[in-house]
Amino acid sequence: MALSIDLSGRVALVTGASRGIGREDALALARAGADVALADILLESDASPSATEAASPLAQIMKARGAVFAEATAAEIRGMGRRALAIKMDVTDRDAVRAGVERTARELGSLDILVNNAATLDHVARLEHQRDDLWERDLRVNLTGMFLCTRAAWPLMKARGFGRVITVSSVAGTLGGYGQASYATTKAGVLGFTRSMALEGARHGITVNAVVPGVIATEAFEMTDAGMRQRMIDRTAFRRAGAPADVANAVAFLCSDLASYLTGIALNVSGGIELFTF
Ligand SMILES: NC(=O)c1ccc[n+]([C@@H]2O[C@H](COP(=O)([O-])OP(=O)(O)OC[C@H]3O[C@@H](n4cnc5c(N)ncnc54)[C@H](O)[C@@H]3O)[C@@H](O)[C@H]2O)c1
C-alpha cells in the first residue's frame, strides 16, 4: 500500500487563513481530504474594522490591496468536493473564538485539527522604539489568541479521543530576531505552550506540535525591506526563501496518522537557516 497523507473525514480549523501560510495550510489539508474552516480577522465581504485590526498597519495595507482571500479559498476548497467555511474571527476575542469553534463543529460535524497560524508580524523596531501598544497586541494575538483557540477546541477533541493541534512558531523564537523583541518573545512562548499541551493532550489522543518556519515568501514577507529580505535569504543553506506550501506540507504530515507518535516537537521548515554558514 502506498504511503499517503489521508485526512478524509477530518475537520480542520485554520486561523489567519486569509492569505500566506494559513491559506496554504487550509488548501493542503483540503487536498489531503479534510473539510476546512478558514478563520481570519479579515474577510473579503466583511471589512468592518475591529480594535485589533485598527492597531495593525499590515492589516490595513493588505485590506487596501485586496490581499484577502478567505472566502475565495473556501470556494476553491468546495470546488475540490470538500466542505469549507470562511469565518470572521479575531483570535483575541473570546466570544468570537467560542462562536467560531462552535460553528465549525455544527456546520462541518466535528473539530479534529486546529492550526494556530494567526499572528502579527509587522512590529519591527529596536528595543528603544518598540511601541507599548504593539508589544501588547503581539502578546495578545500570538499568545493569548493561540491559548483561546486551543482551549475552545480542546473539549471537542477530548470527547472524541482524537486531536491534532499545530502551532506556528518562527526561527525568530528559537534564534532571536534583530528588532523583533515582541515577535520573537511570542514565538518562543509558542514552543512552551506547545510542549505543555503535548503533555496534557497525550492521554486524550491529542498531539500538539509546532512548525518553525524560517523565511517564507508570503505576501507579508514580500513587504519587508528588500535589503533585509536578501540578508535573511543569504543565511539559509539553500540561499532561497521557502514557499508557503513547504510549511503546509509539514502541517499536513503532522495532522496525519503518519505522525501519531510525534508530539511536543518543533519542526523546522527553514531551509537550514539555523545551520552555521559562511
Ligand atoms: N512568512 C514568514 O517568513 C514566516 C516566518 C516564520 C513564521 N511565520 C509565521 O507563519 C504564520 C503566518 O505568516 P504569514 O507570513 O502568512 O503572515 P500573514 O501576515 O500574511 O498572515 C497572518 C494572517 O493572520 C491574520 N490575523 C492577524 N491577526 C489576527 C487576529 N487577531 N485574528 C485572526 N486572524 C488574524 C491576518 O489577517 C493574516 O491573514 C505566522 O504565525 C507567522 O508568525 C511566518
Side-chain angles (χ1 to χ4, degrees):
M1 201 177 69
L3 205 58
S4 66
I5 293 175
D6 181 7
L7 301 177
S8 43
R10 302 284 187 214
V11 174
L13 172 64
V14 182
T15 70
S18 248
R19 60 174 189 259
I21 292 171
R23 174 176 182 276
E24 202 60 40
D25 289 344
L27 287 166
L29 296 174
R31 286 190 197 106
D35 296 323
V36 186
L38 299 99
D40 205 284
I41 198 167
L42 299 176
L43 293 188
E44 295 94 312
S45 66
D46 185 352
S48 57
S50 72
T52 312
E53 259 174 80
S56 173
L58 186 62
Q60 299 307 324
I61 294 168
M62 291 296 184
K63 206 188 302 186
R65 291 188 176 184
V68 180
F69 310 106
E71 286 160 341
T73 310
E76 191 177 338
I77 291 173
R78 283 192 290 272
M80 298 177 199
R82 310 270 107 80
R83 291 178 301 165
L85 296 174
I87 300 176
K88 170 102 172 169
M89 186 178 105
D90 178 346
V91 294
T92 70
D93 178 337
R94 283 169 171 72
D95 294 336
V97 167
R98 204 175 305 117
V101 166
E102 278 170 13
R103 186 172 161 210
T104 303
R106 191 173 60 246
E107 295 189 26
L108 301 183
S110 67
L111 181 53
D112 308 294
I113 294 166
L114 169 67
V115 184
N116 283 306
N117 167 81
T120 46
L121 301 81
D122 55 356
H123 185 201
V124 181
R126 288 194 301 275
L127 181 64
E128 309 88 291
H129 304 293
Q130 286 265 309
R131 276 171 47 181
D132 290 49
D133 59 336
L134 294 183
W135 170 273
E136 298 288 349
R137 180 207 62 174
D138 291 348
L139 265 58
R140 246 189 356 262
V141 176
N142 302 0
L143 291 176
T144 308
M146 169 184 64
F147 158 68
L148 293 175
C149 292
T150 308
R151 192 176 60 178
W154 204 252
L156 297 168
M157 294 179 177
K158 263 173 82 170
R160 291 161 59 84
F162 179 90
R164 293 280 187 268
V165 178
I166 307 297
T167 58
V168 183
S169 178
S170 164
V171 292
T174 53
L175 306 178
Y178 188 90
Q180 292 190 302
S182 62
Y183 180 70
T185 300
T186 64
K187 292 297 173 178
V190 165
L191 297 178
F193 179 79
T194 303
R195 293 173 182 135
S196 302
M197 291 311 100
L199 284 166
E200 292 188 24
R203 67 195 62 182
H204 304 292
I206 304 171
T207 67
V208 187
N209 291 298
V211 287
V212 185
V215 179
I216 307 297
T218 61
E219 296 91 340
F221 176 69
E222 298 299 344
M223 284 180 50
T224 57
D225 172 74
M228 184 175 92
R229 237 173 21 233
Q230 194 54 49
R231 287 194 297 281
M232 291 196 277
I233 287 170
D234 287 345
R235 285 199 48 179
T236 65
F238 292 130
R239 302 289 200 270
R240 63 175 170 83
D246 292 317
V247 181
N249 290 339
V251 167
F253 164 69
L254 289 171
C255 291
S256 75
D257 290 342
L258 300 177
S260 302
Y261 199 59
L262 297 183
T263 200
I265 71 160
L267 179 58
N268 287 345
V269 188
S270 62
I273 203 170
E274 65 284 349
L275 304 174
F276 179 54
T277 185
F278 52 87

